[in-house]
Protein backbone atom coordinates (compact mmCIF):
# COMPACT_ATOMS: atom_id res chain seq x y z
CA UNK A 1 0.00 0.00 0.00
CA UNK A 2 1.43 3.39 -0.91
CA UNK A 3 1.60 6.34 1.47
CA UNK A 4 -1.63 7.79 0.13
CA UNK A 5 -3.53 4.56 0.85
CA UNK A 6 -1.98 4.25 4.31
CA UNK A 7 -2.95 7.83 5.07
CA UNK A 8 -6.55 7.16 4.03
CA UNK A 9 -6.69 4.15 6.33
CA UNK A 10 -5.50 6.26 9.26
CA UNK A 11 -8.13 8.88 8.45
CA UNK A 12 -10.85 6.25 8.54
CA UNK A 13 -9.58 4.99 11.89
CA UNK A 14 -9.61 8.51 13.31
CA UNK A 15 -13.10 9.10 11.91
CA UNK A 16 -14.27 5.82 13.39
CA UNK A 17 -12.78 6.67 16.79
CA UNK A 18 -14.28 10.15 16.65
CA UNK A 19 -17.67 8.64 15.86
CA UNK A 20 -17.42 6.22 18.79
CA UNK A 21 -16.40 9.08 21.06
CA UNK A 22 -19.35 11.18 19.87
CA UNK A 23 -21.75 8.30 20.49
CA UNK A 24 -20.30 7.78 23.98
CA UNK A 25 -20.66 11.47 24.83
CA UNK A 26 -24.22 11.53 23.50
CA UNK A 27 -25.19 8.46 25.54
CA UNK A 28 -23.71 10.09 28.64
CA UNK A 29 -25.59 13.30 27.94
CA UNK A 30 -28.84 11.41 27.37
CA UNK A 31 -28.48 9.49 30.64
CA UNK A 32 -27.42 12.49 32.76
CA UNK A 33 -30.14 14.77 31.44
CA UNK A 34 -32.72 12.00 31.86
CA UNK A 35 -31.65 11.34 35.47
CA UNK A 36 -31.89 15.07 36.21
CA UNK A 37 -35.34 15.32 34.62
CA UNK A 38 -36.60 12.21 36.44
CA UNK A 39 -35.27 13.48 39.79
CA UNK A 40 -36.88 16.90 39.36
CA UNK A 41 -40.22 15.42 38.33
CA UNK A 42 -40.11 12.91 41.19
CA UNK A 43 -39.32 15.71 43.64
CA UNK A 44 -42.13 17.91 42.37
CA UNK A 45 -44.73 15.15 42.47
CA UNK A 46 -43.60 13.28 45.60
CA UNK A 47 -42.28 16.29 47.53
CA UNK A 48 -45.62 17.27 49.02
CA UNK A 49 -45.86 13.79 50.53
CA UNK A 50 -43.01 14.69 52.88
CA UNK A 51 -43.60 18.43 53.13
CA UNK A 52 -47.17 18.22 54.35
CA UNK A 53 -48.97 16.10 56.88
CA UNK A 54 -50.85 13.79 54.52
CA UNK A 55 -52.45 10.42 55.10
CA UNK A 56 -50.42 7.30 54.41
CA UNK A 57 -52.54 6.53 51.34
CA UNK A 58 -51.96 10.00 49.89
CA UNK A 59 -48.23 9.79 50.59
CA UNK A 60 -48.03 6.38 48.92
CA UNK A 61 -49.97 7.59 45.92
CA UNK A 62 -47.78 10.66 45.46
CA UNK A 63 -44.54 8.69 45.80
CA UNK A 64 -45.72 5.95 43.44
CA UNK A 65 -46.99 8.52 40.93
CA UNK A 66 -43.73 10.46 41.10
CA UNK A 67 -41.65 7.32 40.62
CA UNK A 68 -43.78 6.15 37.70
CA UNK A 69 -43.81 9.53 35.97
CA UNK A 70 -40.08 9.94 36.56
CA UNK A 71 -39.34 6.52 35.05
CA UNK A 72 -41.52 7.20 32.01
CA UNK A 73 -39.95 10.62 31.40
CA UNK A 74 -36.45 9.14 31.89
CA UNK A 75 -37.14 6.62 29.13
CA UNK A 76 -38.71 9.19 26.82
CA UNK A 77 -35.77 11.57 27.30
CA UNK A 78 -33.11 8.94 26.58
CA UNK A 79 -34.92 7.70 23.47
CA UNK A 80 -35.59 11.19 22.13
CA UNK A 81 -31.99 12.40 22.63
CA UNK A 82 -30.51 9.30 21.00
CA UNK A 83 -33.00 9.38 18.10
CA UNK A 84 -32.21 13.04 17.46
CA UNK A 85 -28.49 12.26 17.49
CA UNK A 86 -28.98 9.39 15.06
CA UNK A 87 -31.01 11.55 12.66
CA UNK A 88 -28.52 14.42 12.78
CA UNK A 89 -25.51 12.18 12.19
CA UNK A 90 -26.87 9.97 9.45
CA UNK A 91 -26.97 6.75 11.43
CA UNK A 92 -30.30 5.89 9.81
CA UNK A 93 -28.85 5.92 6.27
CA UNK A 94 -28.99 2.17 6.04
CA UNK A 95 -26.48 -0.64 6.35
CA UNK A 96 -22.83 -0.06 5.62
CA UNK A 97 -21.13 -1.97 2.80
CA UNK A 98 -19.77 -5.33 3.93
CA UNK A 99 -16.40 -4.77 2.24
CA UNK A 100 -14.40 -1.55 1.86
CA UNK A 101 -14.83 -0.01 -1.55
CA UNK A 102 -18.06 -1.83 -2.30
CA UNK A 103 -21.27 0.11 -2.70
CA UNK A 104 -23.65 -2.79 -2.16
CA UNK A 105 -23.34 -5.58 0.43
CA UNK A 106 -24.35 -8.10 -2.26
CA UNK A 107 -21.79 -7.02 -4.88
Amino acid sequence: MDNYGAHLGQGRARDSQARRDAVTVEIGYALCSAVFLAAVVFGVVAGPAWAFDLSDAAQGTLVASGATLGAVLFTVRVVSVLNRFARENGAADGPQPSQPGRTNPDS
Side-chain angles (χ1 to χ4, degrees), residues 46-106:
W50 295 296
F52 302 109
D53 188 26
L54 301 175
S55 68
D56 289 340
Q59 285 182 347
T61 300
L62 286 174
V63 171
S65 298
T68 301
L69 187 57
V72 167
L73 291 178
F74 174 88
T75 304
V76 168
R77 177 68 180 166
V78 169
V79 169
S80 67
V81 168
L82 295 179
N83 277 336
R84 179 182 43 85
F85 177 75
R87 277 193 315 271
E88 289 176 359
N89 291 287
D93 290 342
Q96 295 293 317
S98 60
Q99 296 177 1
R102 302 281 177 111
T103 57
N104 185 347
D106 296 329

Side-chain angles (χ1 to χ4, degrees), residues 1-12 14:
M1 183 183 300
D2 61 2
N3 285 339
Y4 181 71
H7 179 64
L8 285 179
Q10 290 173 352
R12 286 186 195 133
R14 278 192 298 261

